[in-house]
């Protein structure tokens, strides 16, 4: 089972905008060394929307190679055209991925029946476990708990990443879905409570910066130790808000660069580098979390 503290890993790039594989290897080692439970490669935080198909596959392939079996790698396979998602899914299925994370089709605004048909078609096209991903704030469509419950009956659909920040969703999903269906938080600010309410893990943006600390919080929450989990979570709360002062992954990529973990802060258009206005407050949140910066 894929449980615990998972990182929605950034995709480092050179100054000219190419993927920086030397920095990628460094990031993978950073997370293995600090106990992260799984890596999500080329999700939203990994700039999936602006990578070509060839780049997408290459980044996932290299991440798996760098991990060398020491940590599971989950590949992002979402998109807004079912046929293209199936094409990507089948290509990723040739790699040694532990599972795939499939965001709801964005911009199209499918109905709940459209979502069911989409995810069933994708799951039917592969033998690799699929994780649903609901983030209506970015996609413009909300996959309802009842829809998730229907999809949870598919043998290849093993879990959902719920990124609404609505904690009542976790209880509703647990009530409706099979006992072994995996519930992941995609909202760092409410992740601790999500786990204490019975969630199985967190796919996190902040984990890019504080993997050991985030892992400790997740472990405490999964063990049901609310007092310890809240104490470990408290220094990280500033990060949870400041890492979204501009669209993800703009702030987190800037912060990881300030930590010296990647060689360049390049991010692909239409996103641009973090505005000077936000540098001070993000640095303050990093200082509260005891993160060393260059």
């Amino acid at each position: 089972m894929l449980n615990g503290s998972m990182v929605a890993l950034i995709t480092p790039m050179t100054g000219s905008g190419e993927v920086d594989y030397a920095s990628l290897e460094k990031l993978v080692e950073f997370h293995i060394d600090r106990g992260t439970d799984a890596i999500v490669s080329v999700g939203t935080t990994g700039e999936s929307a602006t990578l070509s198909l060839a780049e997408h596959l290459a980044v996932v392939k290299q991440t798996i190679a760098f991990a060398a079996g020491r940590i599971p790698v989950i590949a992002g396979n979402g998109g807004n055209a079912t046929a293209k998602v199936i094409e990507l899914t089948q290509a990723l299925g040739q790699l040694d991925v532990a599972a795939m994370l499939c965001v709801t089709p964005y911009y199209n605004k499918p109905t709940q029946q459209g979502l069911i048909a989409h995810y069933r078609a994708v799951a039917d096209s592969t033998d690799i476990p699929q994780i649903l991903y609901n983030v209506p704030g970015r996609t413009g469509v909300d996959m309802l708990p009842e829809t998730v419950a229907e999809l949870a009956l598919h043998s290849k659909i093993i879990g959902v990443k719920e990124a609404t920040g609505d904690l009542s969703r976790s209880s509703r999903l647990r009530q409706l879905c099979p006992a072994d269906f995996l519930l992941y938080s995609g909202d760092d600010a409410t992740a601790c409570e999500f786990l204490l309410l019975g969630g199985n893990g967190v796919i996190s943006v902040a984990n890019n910066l504080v993997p050991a600390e985030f892992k400790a919080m997740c472990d405490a929450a999964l063990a049901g130790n609310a007092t310890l989990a809240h104490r470990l979570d408290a220094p990280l709360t500033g990060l949870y808000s400041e890492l979204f002062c501009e669209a993800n992954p703009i702030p987190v990529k800037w912060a990881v660069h300030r930590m010296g973990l990647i060689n360049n802060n390049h991010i692909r258009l239409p996103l641009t580098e973090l505005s000077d206005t936000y540098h001070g407050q993000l640095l303050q949140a990093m200082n509260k979390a005891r993160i060393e910066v260059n």
Side-chain angles (χ1 to χ4, degrees):
M1 292 178 67
L2 297 166
N3 291 331
S5 176
M6 308 179 187
V7 61
L9 195 67
I10 64 168
T11 299
M13 297 176 184
T14 66
S16 60
E18 302 301 313
V19 176
D20 180 355
Y21 287 104
S23 290
L24 179 62
E25 182 175 18
K26 186 175 181 179
L27 291 176
V28 171
E29 292 298 328
F30 176 65
H31 283 281
I32 291 172
D33 181 63
R34 285 156 179 80
T36 299
D37 291 306
I39 290 172
V40 173
S41 178
V42 197
T44 304
T45 308
E47 295 180 71
S48 57
T50 56
L51 266 62
S52 69
L53 175 60
E55 289 174 321
H56 192 128
L57 295 172
V59 171
V60 174
K61 184 177 181 178
Q62 282 302 122
T63 302
I64 293 168
F66 294 145
R70 294 172 292 167
I71 185 173
V73 176
I74 299 167
N77 68 324
N80 67 338
T82 304
K84 290 182 179 179
V85 173
I86 289 173
E87 179 184 4
L88 175 58
T89 297
Q90 292 178 337
L92 289 167
Q94 304 303 308
L95 306 178
D96 189 21
V97 295
M100 299 183 204
L101 179 67
C102 195
V103 71
T104 52
Y106 42 85
Y107 188 75
N108 300 0
K109 293 191 175 181
T111 64
Q112 298 301 302
Q113 286 303 311
L115 290 172
I116 290 169
H118 170 78
Y119 279 113
R120 283 178 175 165
V122 173
D124 286 343
S125 75
T126 182
D127 291 329
I128 305 298
Q130 300 292 303
I131 301 169
L132 313 174
Y133 179 13
N134 186 43
V135 56
R138 292 193 75 122
T139 63
V141 59
D142 185 8
M143 183 164 49
L144 301 178
E146 292 77 11
T147 301
V148 174
E150 189 164 343
L151 287 167
L153 300 176
H154 195 292
S155 62
K156 294 295 188 300
I157 299 176
I158 64 167
V160 62
K161 176 184 176 183
E162 175 64 36
T164 61
D166 180 358
L167 290 172
S168 67
R169 285 285 183 102
S170 62
S171 299
R172 183 67 175 152
L173 287 165
R174 183 54 73 206
Q175 178 187 27
L176 293 173
C177 296
D180 61 350
F181 190 72
L182 300 168
L183 302 183
Y184 302 114
S185 170
D187 180 67
D188 286 343
T190 57
C192 181
E193 295 302 324
F194 185 98
L195 295 177
L196 290 168
L197 287 170
N200 300 102
V202 186
I203 298 175
S204 166
V205 175
N207 200 356
N208 280 280
L209 309 181
V210 284
E213 295 84 350
F214 201 80
K215 162 73 170 171
M217 182 277 290
C218 288
D219 285 351
L222 287 168
N225 189 336
T227 300
L228 178 59
H230 288 143
R231 179 168 63 80
L232 294 170
D233 197 49
L236 310 181
T237 56
L239 289 178
Y240 301 156
S241 58
E242 296 303 334
L243 287 176
F244 291 88
C245 61
E246 289 188 330
N248 179 49
I250 292 172
V252 69
K253 208 165 197 183
W254 181 87
V256 172
H257 180 242
R258 287 299 303 262
M259 293 171 67
L261 293 173
I262 57 177
N263 296 320
N264 195 282
N265 186 32
H266 186 90
I267 194 163
R268 286 189 179 174
L269 292 171
L271 299 185
T272 54
E273 293 182 12
L274 185 69
S275 303
D276 292 348
T277 305
Y278 299 109
H279 290 191
Q281 63 197 59
L282 182 48
L283 283 171
Q284 186 176 14
M286 292 170 71
N287 181 62
K288 182 180 177 183
R290 302 182 182 89
I291 297 171
E292 294 184 8
V293 298
N294 294 330

